[in-house]
Each structure stands twice: as C-alpha cells, then as structure tokens.
Amino acid sequence: MIGFVLGVIAIVLIFGYFGLPILWWTLAAGALGWYLSAVANFSFTTNVVLGAVFVVAAAILNIPLLRRKLLSDRVLAIYRRILPDMTQTEKDAIDAGTVWFDADLFSGKPDWDKLLATPAPRLSAEEQAFLDGPVEELCAMCNDWEITHEHQDLPPHVWQYIKDKGFLGMIIPKQYGGLGFSALAHSAVVMKLSTRSSTAAISVMVPNSLGPGELLLHYGTEQQKNHYLPRLAKGLEVPCFALTSPEAGSDAASIPDFGIVCRGTWQGREVLGMRVTWDKRYITLGPVASLLGLAFRLYDPDGLLSEKKDLGITCALVPTSTPGVNIGRRHLPLNAVFQNGPNSGKDVFMPLDWIIGGPEYAGKGWMMLMGCLAAGRAISLPTSSVGGVKALTRFTGAYARVRSQFKTPIGKLEGVEEALGRIAAHCYMMDATRVMTAGAVDLGEKPAVLSAIAKYHMTERARACVNDGMDILGGKGICLGPNNWIGRGYQMAPIAITVEGANILTRTLIIFGQGAIRCHPYVLREMRSAKEMQGAEASREFDDAFTSHIGHVLRNAVRTFVYGITNSAFAPVPANAARETRHYYRHVSRLSAAFAFLADMSMLAMGGALKRKEKISGRLGDVLSMLYLVSATLKRYEDQGRIREDLPLVRWAVRDALYRAQQAIDGVLSNFPVKALATILRWTVFPLGMPYRPPLDSRNHECAKIALEPGAARERLTAGMYVPKGEADVTGILEAAFTATIACEPIDEKLRKAVKKGKIVPRPGVDLGTLAREKDLISAEEHALWNRKEALRKHVIKVDDFPQDYGRAEAVAALEGETVKMKAA
Ligand SMILES: Cc1cc2nc3c(=O)[nH]c(=O)nc-3n(C[C@H](O)[C@H](O)[C@H](O)COP(=O)(O)OP(=O)(O)OC[C@H]3O[C@@H](n4cnc5c(N)ncnc54)[C@H](O)[C@@H]3O)c2cc1C
C-alpha cells in the first residue's frame, strides 16, 4: 500500500512537473492499477471490474471523439450558459493590442533565454543627436518658475521652438515630414524634458500619444494623411484629443456626445454630413488646439449611411476654426499650466469625410482608440514619471549632501538615507521598465497589459518618490518660488495618476482583468470557441483548449509546490544568467508558477464574479506587475553588462518587488471566498511559510550612497536627464554646490578638529573659515574654496519670500473679471 501511495505521489509530482500528455498519465495509472491488483490480491471479479473501468476511462480521455462527446461538449454547454455576453466595446478592448513577456509570466513558465536574447534597445545616431541638440536646447530654454508662475504657459518662443524642431511629430514617419523616431527615442525625449519642465514634456507628449497623429497613421485615408500629417509634423497644427465628457470619465465608452447623419450645406454644396453636439472636459492642449480629434456616438436615424441606426463611437478631425466649435477656456489642474480645458459644440455640421478613415470608419472609433492606446500608454506617463524620479534622485541626493543638520549632511542621517535609498532603487527599476516596455513597442508590439502595468506602477512610484523627496527637503520643498525645484512636481503627481485611465481602475480592472483573458494561454481560446464558433469547429477547439488548460493548471500546481518546498532550487533560470542574479530568476519563476496557478483557481472559484471582486483581481494584478518589473530590472542588469557597482540597486529593487508580490498573494489567500480551497492553496504556494522579506537596511544604505556620491553609478542612474550647467540656474547651482561641498569635506573636517582641539574658538558673526585662515590653519586657496562652497550652500538652502500682499491685487482683479463675465452670461 505504501508503495502504491508513493507511486501515486511520484507520478503526480513528476508527470505534473513536466506537464506530460494524458496518454502518459493513462499508462502510469494502468501500471499502478496492475501493481495494486497484484499486491492486494483482488478477486477475479474485482480485477475485471477495475480493468473495465480503467479501459472505459482511458478510452474517454484518450480518444478525442469520445472525450468531446462525453466530456468537453458538456462542459462547453455549461460554459456557454455561465459566460456573460461581451459588449462590442469590451470585445474591442480585449482584441486590441498584443501580448509579450506578460504572456510568459502568465504561463507560469517564463522563457528567460528568449527575454535575454532580445537585443538591448538602442538609440540611433540621429536620435541621440536630437537629444543632445534640440532637446538639450529646449530644456535650457525652460525656466519652470517663469512657465508655471509668470507666463502660466510655455512662453511663445518656446512654443515656436517646439513646433519648428518637429517635437510635435516624433511619431510621424519621415515621408510625411515627421521625425520618424523609435518608441525608445520618443521616450528618451519625453523623459529628458520631464527632468526640466513638466509643462514642456506634457505639451510634447500629448500630440505624440493617442490622438489625431496616431489615429491618422493607422486609420486615416490617404487624403487625410497627406493633408494633415505634414502639417502636424511641422507644428502647423496643434492637435488634441477629446474623449472625456462630464458624464463619461473612466467609463469613456458611455459618452453622451452625439452626431446625427444628415444632409447639409458645406462650402456652398449640399453634402452628406453629420450634425455633432458635444461637451468635453479635461482636454489637454484643447484651449490652444487648431485640430480637434473628437469622439462621439454617431446615429443614422434616416438610414442615409446604412441600415444601422446606432453606428457607434466615431472619431473625427474637426478644425477648431469651424463655426460653432468652442475652445479657449482652461482648467487649472493642480495649478499645472500645460494647456488643458473644456470644449463644446452644438449641432455643428461637418462633412462625413472628417471621420478619421472616412465614412466606412463611422462607428469604429472605439476599436480604433483601443487599437492605438497601448503604444502611447507604454510611453507617455511611464516615461515622464521616470524623468521626474531621475531628477529627484540626482537633485535630492545633491541637496541631502549639501544640507547639514546636527553637523552632519542630512543624507547621512539614517532616516533620510532610508528615503533617499528608496528613491534611488525605484529609479533603477523604473528606468529599466521604461526601456524594456519602449523596446517592446519597437519590436512591433502594442502591449495592452504591459502598458497598463508600466502606467500604473511608474506613476505610483513617482508619487511615492516625490513624497520621499518632499520629506527630505523639509521646508525647502514646501515654499514655492523660483528656488523650489520640487514643489510643482509634488503638486502634479496626482495628474499622471488620473489620466489615461485613472490608476484604481487600471489596477483593478485592466491589469488582471485584461491579462487573465489576453495573456492566459487558454482562456481566450475557450471563450472564442464558446461564443464565436459553432458545431464541430467549436467542439474541437474547446476540447483542445480545455484539456490543455487542465494540464496547465496541474503543471503549475505541482511546480508551485515543488518550488515552494525546495526554495525555488529547481525553478528555471536563463542558461547564461549572472551568478549574482541567478537566484532572482528562480524566485520569479517560482512566483510566476504560483501566480498562474492562483489566477486559474480564482477564476474557477469566482467565475464571472471575479470581475467585480476588484480587491482580489487588483492584488493578482500586483503580482503580475511585480514579476514584470523584476524581469525588466534583471534584463537591464544584463543589457548594461552586469555592472557590479549597480548591484545594490538591483538587489534592493528586486527584493522589494518580490516581497510585494508575496504580500499580494497573501492578501488574495486571506480574502479568498472559498476558505477550504484557500487553505489548500496556501499549503501549495507557501508550504514552508512565506519566504520573502523586505530589503535589508544595509542594501538601502548602499543605494543612498549612489545618490550621495558623485561618480559613474550616479551618472548611469540619472543618464538621459537634463543637467543644467550654469550656476544661474536653480538646479545648476545645486549641482555646483554638491561638487563644492564634496571638494571641501576635508577642509570642513580640519575645521571641526580645530574647534574640538580648541585651536579655533567660534565667534558670533565670524565664520569658521575666516577664523581658521586667521590662525593659518588653512591655506588661502583652501579658504577661497571653502568660501565658494559656503556661498553656494547658502544659495541652495535659500527659500523664496514675497511681499506681504503678494498676488492679492491680481487675484482680486481676476475674480472681479470672472464676476463681470458671469453676470453678463
Ligand atoms: C489633467 C488632465 C488631463 C486630461 N487629458 C485628457 C485628454 O487630453 N483627453 C481626454 O479625452 N481626456 C483627458 N483627461 C481625462 C482623463 O482621462 C479622465 O480624468 C480619466 O479617464 C478619469 O475620469 P474621471 O476624472 O471622470 O474620473 P471618474 O471616472 O469619475 O473616476 C473616479 C474614480 O473612480 C475610479 N473608477 C472608475 N471606474 C472604476 C471601476 N470600474 N473600478 C474601479 N475604480 C473605478 C477611478 O479609477 C477613479 O479613481 C484628462 C484628465 C485630467 C485630469
């Protein structure tokens, strides 16, 4: 009996681990049955009955026709009944985009060799020259205080420079006069601008993201492309894209804005057109746009275009000079000054060929939007967040070295070091994710799930980092003015969180919700066979997907358990992985199997209700996200040639993410609705308890040191950002003070010792440098160096102040103006 039980366990573990086909299981079951019958001395009748049962079961499981008729067709019938119908907009969202390494992570068996064989994304010489030339110059032209406070906009010469140099046409191919940049270059430009001026970055990023340019490229008619793309590329048109309405924010597919197909007069001729009414808000560049990409629902009550009365969401290009189009008013999004505002129109008549793609694309707007969303979402907000965090790493690190309290640079006080180390390590992981995701876009992917992961986690980490940065700066970060380089970033952090899919929705609905269908190897096939196929075709496809799905669950369950009891010792690693990072690949492989298994068990236990169990699906999405972030970090370490100096950043970031993934799994298990199953799942996933711990303090110390020390590691960590050279600049002077502080540290040490030994007696109103020089304890050269450092330091810690009635007169005038306008209205 013991032999039999051991045999069963061995077969389940070995066959399950290797995912062997059903025939092998059948043969093994037959062998075990034969063994049992021999040792248990069954009677002849029992043997015959057991043998018959075995033969029938083996035939049903191994003969596809029998299996379909007796098993999978029945499951298919139940599946069809319980599978909720999808709306067209849901279908469009599911069908949009592609899957990439997310599918590997979802399979429970990431193909590391394939990932590491993917070439490291690189900029072309032309793209690098653009970054070193026009982008550097644009950064130098931007003074954030002047932009945000005095102009409340980019100054006209900056706008003109942006247009003239083609910044608005980075994604437009060269044949139309655009820059034709790769996604990586597009991302590098936005990142560099973000390290200098969020207003410039956003103004450049929006026309290159989802909007007229992108939609025209994919769906425009030749005539539309030839007319608009060269104009957009040269900045002769300023585009915006208007989808959001007061009644439809996150649920954008429910926009109430509408158009009615009708006849009307256009440029003196009677043409078939549409009369469109809309009321949009939050539209970036809307107040200054010349070309409005407009989304509305198109109706054809008189059947002028087709028999369908409700054609669906439609996207059109509307010149804002068209009579009846109202633009110009602006919002003040947390006092950020990039152009953003409402726009509207009532019964505005426009010809049908304003529809992007022409009349045959009427009603296909949602499909078009979903199809184009991923590329922009993979770049704009993740990238601008990385830019912000690079600037934080560099400048907060510098400030923490320049600013002293308790006779110590604040960066060396453990509490501050903790926050600084976090910023530095997040920065490494975020940049790794930026590059890998942009690289995926350059490989031709439209990564629907990965772009959501990048958007959500990069913006959240930027918010966490800017909070840490504000804490490090203390009052210096709070008081706005020309000498405050962090406060605006802090104010603006929630903007990135809210736009392009507000983060709560992105986390809870998109990452796991779309991932579970798109990235799962079998779910989409099962759904399609159930909903889109009929008869024998559906039966064959479902049978194949369903039986493979069962094998997949079994394999992941066994692997999860085996990896759990062996501390991931047998989990796959890439053939050429570095010794120092091998174990991290193993842990990701382990958690990937656990995640895949848990995902299937959650779908089994909760079915369609999982969609509404957003706390569970959000946590599952977190696990997938952490595994992706770790994968990107490990790939960067390889792509950059395994630089040992950067290892602390890799170690902190990976350990932090693995810990977060574990906590998310724990959260799923603790809240799993079927308690008995939750217990079994916990034994399988964590058979020896939860193994991951948060990063060590010593590692955090090493990360903070990188931000506090000048050198190659700091340069690499903040590579691609704008570093102002002159001391007239708010961050330029910070860099100079940083260098001077470090150069003077030996002199400061001399002064400290001199005070301690009583060689200098501090005197009120006289600085230590002068006293030391008087006693000839430091040379004239050292004194000059020390004086310069002190002057720079004093400038850096300076906080702006303003006249007591500052801004009041302007505010009163503005309010009075508004009141007059409201009364007039
Ligand atoms: C500065 C700025 C610039 C913008 N630029 C543009 C632009 O250029 N063009 C454009 O068309 N739009 C633009 N938007 C609109 C932006 O995309 C929307 O703000 C966003 O989609 C969220 O809509 P909402 O603000 O109405 O929030 P709501 O939809 O009211 O959502 C409120 C909260 O509920 C959450 N939520 C909603 N549904 C769910 C759900 N099912 N599950 C879980 N949580 C959910 C959201 O995550 C959010 O946290 C911009 C917005 C801002 C603030």
Side-chain angles (χ1 to χ4, degrees):
M1 212 50 191
I2 291 172
F4 178 76
V5 172
L6 288 179
V8 170
I9 292 173
I11 283 173
V12 169
L13 290 181
I14 295 169
F15 284 32
Y17 187 90
F18 292 106
L20 295 184
I22 211 159
L23 184 63
W24 286 70
W25 289 86
T26 314
L27 293 175
L32 275 174
W34 176 80
Y35 173 77
L36 185 67
S37 132
V39 295
N41 233 348
F42 290 146
S43 69
F44 176 74
T45 323
T46 313
N47 277 337
V48 169
V49 171
L50 284 178
V53 168
F54 172 74
V55 169
V56 170
I60 293 175
L61 290 174
N62 287 281
I63 301 172
L65 194 65
L66 275 182
R67 186 174 64 223
R68 276 164 37 206
K69 287 276 165 266
L70 297 172
L71 267 180
S72 44
D73 279 1
R74 287 157 197 252
V75 180
L76 175 61
I78 301 171
Y79 195 66
R80 278 188 169 136
R81 265 204 311 280
I82 56 171
L83 189 66
D85 280 333
M86 265 199 211
T87 61
Q88 189 55 44
T89 47
E90 279 173 323
K91 266 198 200 127
D92 287 342
I94 292 295
D95 289 343
T98 58
V99 293
W100 188 57
F101 196 62
D102 39 345
D104 277 70
L105 293 169
F106 226 105
S107 73
K109 216 173 130 198
D111 185 345
W112 293 117
D113 291 319
K114 184 183 77 183
L115 181 72
L116 295 193
T118 313
R122 297 255 181 270
L123 297 169
S124 70
E126 185 193 352
E127 291 166 343
Q128 189 60 54
F130 189 78
L131 282 157
D132 297 339
V135 184
E136 184 82 7
E137 195 164 336
L138 177 55
C139 288
M141 288 162 85
C142 291
N143 176 318
D144 202 49
W145 177 250
E146 280 172 21
I147 292 170
T148 55
H149 193 74
E150 290 165 16
H151 295 279
Q152 306 267 323
D153 192 358
L154 293 173
H157 71 282
V158 174
W159 262 120
Q160 202 52 51
Y161 188 83
I162 287 176
K163 293 174 185 173
D164 291 347
K165 294 290 173 187
F167 278 90
L168 302 187
M170 285 190 286
I171 59 164
I172 297 178
K174 288 196 165 129
Q175 68 185 100
Y176 296 106
L179 295 176
F181 277 176
S182 62
L184 185 70
H186 170 192
S187 151
V189 171
V190 172
M191 182 182 77
K192 187 161 184 169
L193 291 176
S194 304
T195 63
R196 181 62 170 172
S197 161
S198 308
T199 313
I202 293 171
S203 306
V204 164
M205 153 177 127
V206 167
N208 287 293
S209 190
L210 179 60
E214 176 90 9
L215 291 169
L216 279 171
L217 278 170
H218 288 95
Y219 304 104
T221 61
E222 278 312 304
Q223 201 187 4
Q224 288 171 335
K225 286 190 201 173
N226 291 335
H227 176 71
Y228 278 120
L229 290 177
R231 294 179 61 75
L232 286 165
K234 291 194 182 71
L236 300 175
E237 301 279 2
V238 175
C240 69
F241 190 71
L243 172 65
T244 306
S245 300
E247 300 297 339
S250 303
D251 185 11
S254 69
I255 39 173
D257 313 287
F258 63 93
I260 306 286
V261 180
C262 60
R263 293 195 179 282
T265 308
W266 182 251
Q267 295 178 335
R269 285 185 303 122
E270 197 191 89
V271 294
L272 194 56
M274 49 202 174
R275 212 166 277 291
V276 186
T277 296
W278 73 95
D279 177 18
K280 302 290 190 182
R281 67 178 180 186
Y282 304 147
I283 309 307
T284 304
L285 296 187
V288 295
S290 62
L291 187 63
L292 178 66
L294 184 64
F296 54 90
R297 188 167 271 278
L298 188 60
Y299 297 90
D300 186 12
D302 301 327
L304 297 172
L305 261 185
S306 73
E307 299 201 332
K308 245 172 121 183
K309 302 262 181 260
D310 177 358
L311 293 169
I313 293 177
T314 301
C315 297
L317 289 180
V318 183
T320 54
S321 55
T322 309
V325 176
N326 304 312
I327 62 159
R329 288 186 66 77
R330 67 188 292 189
H331 302 303
L332 296 177
L334 293 170
N335 282 354
V337 300
F338 62 90
Q339 292 290 338
N340 179 278
N343 62 67
S344 61
K346 185 158 172 35
D347 292 334
V348 178
F349 183 77
M350 52 189 82
L352 281 181
D353 56 14
W354 284 11
I355 294 174
I356 300 177
E360 60 265 42
Y361 276 81
K364 297 199 174 143
W366 194 251
M367 175 276 289
M368 291 157 68
L369 293 178
M370 291 298 107
C372 290
L373 179 71
R377 188 170 63 191
I379 294 172
S380 306
L381 294 160
T383 287
S384 51
S385 303
V386 177
V389 172
K390 284 202 171 185
L392 275 171
T393 307
R394 190 164 187 116
F395 298 139
T396 314
Y399 184 81
R401 190 77 186 250
V402 172
R403 171 73 170 163
S404 285
Q405 289 291 282
F406 303 99
K407 299 194 175 74
T408 314
I410 57 168
K412 297 195 174 172
L413 303 169
E414 275 211 3
V416 173
E417 181 183 90
E418 191 177 10
L420 190 59
R422 272 198 298 262
I423 297 177
H426 282 324
C427 184
Y428 187 92
M429 180 172 256
M430 288 171 72
D431 201 32
T433 307
R434 172 188 76 85
V435 171
M436 187 154 113
T437 313
V441 175
D442 282 331
L443 289 173
E445 303 295 341
K446 289 182 182 172
V449 176
L450 293 183
S451 64
I453 292 177
K455 190 270 164 174
Y456 171 66
H457 289 279
M458 299 307 98
T459 55
E460 287 296 341
R461 275 162 196 245
R463 171 153 72 177
C465 289
V466 79
N467 278 344
D468 274 338
M470 288 294 283
D471 291 350
I472 293 174
L473 261 73
K476 166 87 185 163
I478 307 287
C479 300
L480 288 177
N483 282 301
N484 183 338
W485 45 265
I486 189 174
R488 294 290 188 199
Y490 173 76
Q491 275 182 315
M492 288 176 72
I495 298 177
I497 304 278
T498 300
V499 300
E500 282 194 17
N503 273 7
I504 295 181
L505 173 135
T506 304
R507 171 176 181 259
T508 55
L509 272 193
I510 300 180
I511 297 177
F512 183 75
Q514 272 198 24
I517 299 175
R518 287 305 310 271
C519 304
H520 193 289
Y522 304 110
V523 166
L524 191 58
R525 281 180 62 197
E526 287 164 351
M527 285 171 70
R528 290 213 162 118
S529 60
K531 289 289 173 186
E532 292 169 18
M533 295 176 190
Q534 294 302 330
E537 189 195 12
S539 167
R540 266 196 303 273
E541 176 67 6
F542 185 81
D543 174 67
D544 188 43
F546 179 66
T547 46
S548 308
H549 193 160
I550 293 176
H552 168 80
V553 174
L554 202 62
R555 190 198 69 199
N556 282 325
V558 170
R559 286 185 175 223
T560 300
F561 180 72
V562 172
Y563 297 156
I565 52 170
T566 56
N567 192 26
S568 320
F570 302 110
V573 288
N576 300 321
R579 209 161 52 87
E580 60 276 18
T581 51
R582 277 185 98 74
H583 55 297
Y584 294 138
Y585 290 98
R586 286 209 173 93
H587 290 307
V588 178
S589 296
R590 169 189 178 173
L591 287 177
S592 166
F595 163 72
F597 176 52
L598 262 188
D600 271 313
M601 290 295 108
S602 303
M603 288 190 266
L604 180 73
M606 286 168 259
L610 184 54
K611 197 171 157 188
R612 289 183 299 280
K613 292 254 172 220
E614 293 185 350
K615 293 174 195 165
I616 299 277
S617 64
R619 291 185 182 106
L620 287 166
D622 290 345
V623 183
L624 177 65
S625 304
M626 290 308 123
L627 300 183
Y628 179 63
L629 266 52
V630 173
S631 309
T633 306
L634 295 174
K635 173 140 172 65
R636 153 150 297 201
Y637 184 67
E638 290 296 321
D639 284 350
Q640 290 195 332
R642 303 178 182 175
I643 303 170
R644 300 290 298 207
E645 236 185 331
D646 296 346
L647 209 47
L649 301 165
V650 176
R651 288 185 165 143
W652 192 98
V654 168
R655 199 166 165 151
D656 174 65
L658 291 176
Y659 178 70
R660 288 182 196 219
Q662 168 184 275
Q663 297 312 99
I665 293 178
D666 183 39
V668 172
L669 295 174
S670 303
N671 295 284
F672 208 78
V674 187
K675 293 299 167 202
L677 182 55
T679 308
I680 296 170
L681 292 178
R682 193 177 281 281
W683 287 340
T684 314
V685 176
F686 298 129
L688 304 179
M690 297 204 289
Y692 303 110
R693 301 278 168 268
L696 296 173
D697 287 351
S698 54
R699 209 62 84 205
N700 168 270
H701 168 76
E702 292 167 340
C703 294
K705 218 164 152 233
I706 290 174
L708 285 168
E709 300 284 351
R714 178 176 182 254
E715 294 303 323
R716 255 191 318 277
L717 188 57
T718 59
M721 68 171 284
Y722 175 71
V723 183
K725 302 195 175 56
E727 286 175 22
D729 187 279
V730 53
T731 41
I733 200 164
L734 176 57
E735 281 283 305
F738 176 63
T739 314
T741 300
I742 289 164
C744 278
E745 275 173 359
I747 306 174
D748 277 320
E749 187 54 27
K750 258 192 210 175
L751 300 185
R752 242 188 313 276
K753 280 190 181 147
V755 172
K756 209 168 170 191
K757 289 186 181 156
K759 289 185 185 165
I760 321 176
V761 181
R763 269 202 328 263
V766 186
D767 63 59
L768 284 183
T770 306
L771 291 175
R773 181 69 200 122
E774 275 171 14
K775 298 253 162 102
D776 213 17
L777 294 174
I778 56 174
S779 68
E781 208 177 81
E782 285 176 318
H783 190 207
L785 211 62
W786 192 84
N787 277 342
R788 177 175 143 71
K789 180 267 293 184
E790 276 297 281
L792 290 168
R793 184 184 67 79
K794 287 204 161 81
H795 195 106
V796 161
I797 65 166
K798 201 167 112 186
V799 162
D800 301 289
D801 48 47
F802 300 92
Q804 195 269 328
D805 64 347
Y806 182 76
R808 201 179 297 156
E810 292 90 329
V812 169
L815 275 176
E816 278 171 357
E818 282 294 308
T819 316
V820 170
K821 266 192 231 149
M822 278 164 67
K823 277 187 184 154

